[in-house]
Amino acid sequence: PKNNKCVATLHGHKNTVSCVQWNNSGNWLLTGSRDQMCKVFDIRTLRCVATCRGQNRDITSVRWHPHHYDHFVSASADGAMCHWLLGGDAVVTPTVEVRGAH
């Protein structure tokens, strides 16, 4: 039921969170921040399961791949976009970076 109350607070970023997106299953929350990192939180355990480092400026947008649960992209204030592939590592680096993409 909707009661408009906070049910949990997730900690991990060192600066303002600028964007969030649920994955299709609703189990993972993807966040992007002014600390130049993306984080993936498992909502079932309320823990950060991945920290993604590699953008050089504030992250302005994040999006999950619509069909592959372990892929997402992020965009940053310098116009760069990164493609990320989550694996078993807690710290992830981008698989592809495209500068001046937006």
Side-chain angles (χ1 to χ4, degrees):
K2 293 182 181 181
N3 60 13
N4 297 325
K5 292 183 182 177
C6 178
V7 295
T9 301
L10 304 172
H11 298 278
H13 283 287
K14 294 177 169 76
N15 207 323
T16 305
V17 172
S18 54
C19 47
V20 298
Q21 189 183 33
W22 293 99
N23 72 337
N24 285 338
S25 71
N27 294 329
W28 287 354
L29 184 67
L30 173 61
T31 62
S33 172
R34 295 182 68 189
D35 61 10
Q36 304 170 7
M37 290 188 285
C38 295
K39 290 188 175 277
V40 178
F41 293 91
D42 187 328
I43 295 305
R44 298 164 294 186
T45 62
L46 300 176
R47 293 188 177 223
C48 178
V49 295
T51 298
C52 306
R53 293 185 174 113
Q55 300 267 196
N56 295 317
R57 296 290 302 270
D58 300 354
I59 296 177
T60 57
S61 182
V62 291
R63 291 290 179 266
W64 288 104
H65 188 283
H67 305 294
H68 300 286
Y69 70 93
D70 53 353
H71 292 254
F72 71 90
V73 295
S74 63
S76 61
D78 62 356
M81 291 180 66
C82 288
H83 172 265
W84 307 85
L85 174 60
L86 298 174
D89 298 328
V91 177
V92 182
T93 56
T95 56
V96 176
E97 180 179 6
V98 180
R99 296 196 177 274
H102 69 98

